[in-house]
Amino acid sequence: MPPNLENLKITARELERLTGWDVGPIFLGGVLGGVYRPSALRHPRQLATFCLTEVIVFLLLVAFTLPVSLAILAHSGTGISQLSSVIQFLGVSLGLALLVMLGWNAYMWLAGKRLRGLMELLDEIDHYHEVLAAIAILDQLESVRQDQIRLSDRPEVLEALHLTRDSLIAGLTTERILRQNRGLLARRHALLDSIETNLTALKSLEVKHQAQEYAQILNQALEIGMTVHQEMQKLSQ
């Protein structure tokens, strides 16, 4: 990816600083103590990784509950020499592991509901990075196409991406302010004004632009900006 596009990316370190969370494609805040991202369940590869993680965690829980189950059976005076006792032992282990697993998933679901606005913004950031990747592909096609993309279109596209990036960062900052301290109204309104200004500029760029190759890119940038604006309106209510 060219340096000018690489600099437009919102890095993992920036996301951690802006959100206060370790942001991954599947989990927010890591596997232990974090929450899963609902968008991960809509992508086959990420869904498969999530399911594999669930299986691994369950097996680890079973391993940890084996001593507990043994202690429970020993306290009740039941040995594990007979087949029925072995089945009972495994049943207790699996039951304990299943209860912990259900509790863990319930916690992630409830915590995720409180972070719904942040999840939407993170999904838009993923979309934004996909737009950057699409532009990088267009840049590569310039070297092989005879009817090359007009270079005069590029400044407007980069301007739209800068505005989109600023709106996303302002959105993340606003979400964190509202999540941590709803009393900072002045800062919140300043950030909302910034998002609305960027959205107006994006609309102006999208309306006047006519280049076929970049029209879709500008439209996607506008859609991201509008989604960020709508999410901030929901959070500020």
Side-chain angles (χ1 to χ4, degrees):
M1 185 175 291
N4 56 354
L5 293 179
E6 191 71 34
N7 293 334
L8 286 172
K9 293 177 66 175
I10 303 176
T11 65
R13 181 173 297 180
E14 284 182 287
L15 284 177
E16 185 175 354
R17 176 179 59 83
L18 291 167
T19 65
W21 292 86
D22 178 19
V23 179
I26 300 175
F27 290 97
L28 182 63
V31 177
L32 300 177
V35 299
Y36 66 86
R37 295 178 56 180
S39 60
L41 306 181
R42 298 193 291 267
H43 299 85
R45 182 176 299 179
Q46 295 179 357
L47 177 59
T49 303
F50 175 77
C51 293
L52 180 60
T53 302
E54 291 267 307
V55 172
I56 293 174
V57 171
F58 180 73
L59 293 177
L60 289 174
L61 288 174
V62 171
F64 280 116
T65 55
L66 287 176
V68 177
S69 302
L70 184 61
I72 292 175
L73 291 178
H75 182 72
S76 63
T78 303
I80 57 171
S81 57
Q82 298 179 355
L83 179 60
S84 60
S85 299
V86 173
I87 295 176
Q88 184 180 3
F89 169 68
L90 293 176
V92 172
S93 297
L94 293 174
L96 289 174
L98 183 60
L99 285 176
V100 175
M101 194 73 181
L102 290 175
W104 176 54
N105 280 274
Y107 161 77
M108 288 197 296
W109 182 74
L110 291 173
K113 287 186 66 177
R114 295 194 295 269
L115 297 170
R116 185 175 300 171
L118 176 58
M119 298 292 190
E120 292 290 340
L121 290 174
L122 292 176
D123 291 345
E124 291 307 312
I125 289 175
D126 290 341
H127 185 195
Y128 168 74
H129 285 154
E130 291 173 359
V131 172
L132 292 180
I135 295 176
I137 293 174
L138 287 176
D139 288 343
Q140 294 176 11
L141 291 176
E142 287 184 10
S143 61
V144 297
R145 287 180 52 178
Q146 294 182 357
D147 54 332
Q148 294 184 357
I149 299 170
R150 293 178 297 164
L151 296 179
S152 59
D153 303 332
R154 191 174 184 81
E156 293 185 353
V157 172
L158 292 179
E159 181 183 355
L161 292 173
H162 274 291
L163 291 169
T164 303
R165 188 182 193 278
D166 290 342
S167 294
L168 288 168
I169 290 177
L172 291 175
T173 305
T174 304
E175 188 279 333
R176 187 172 184 180
I177 288 174
L178 294 175
R179 175 162 36 95
Q180 294 182 344
N181 190 340
R182 289 186 171 272
L184 301 178
L185 297 179
R187 178 63 175 156
R188 180 193 70 182
H189 288 307
L191 289 166
L192 286 175
D193 290 341
S194 174
I195 292 174
E196 290 181 356
T197 301
N198 290 342
L199 184 59
T200 301
L202 281 171
K203 288 180 178 179
S204 175
L205 283 171
E206 199 270 342
V207 168
K208 73 178 183 180
H209 198 79
Q210 301 297 326
Q212 181 178 0
E213 291 86 353
Y214 280 139
Q216 185 177 1
I217 299 296
L218 286 172
N219 185 57
Q220 289 177 318
L222 178 60
E223 289 178 357
I224 294 172
M226 292 180 66
T227 301
V228 173
H229 183 264
Q230 291 169 1
E231 288 301 320
M232 290 305 96
Q233 291 291 347
K234 292 178 184 177
L235 289 171
S236 62
Q237 290 176 356

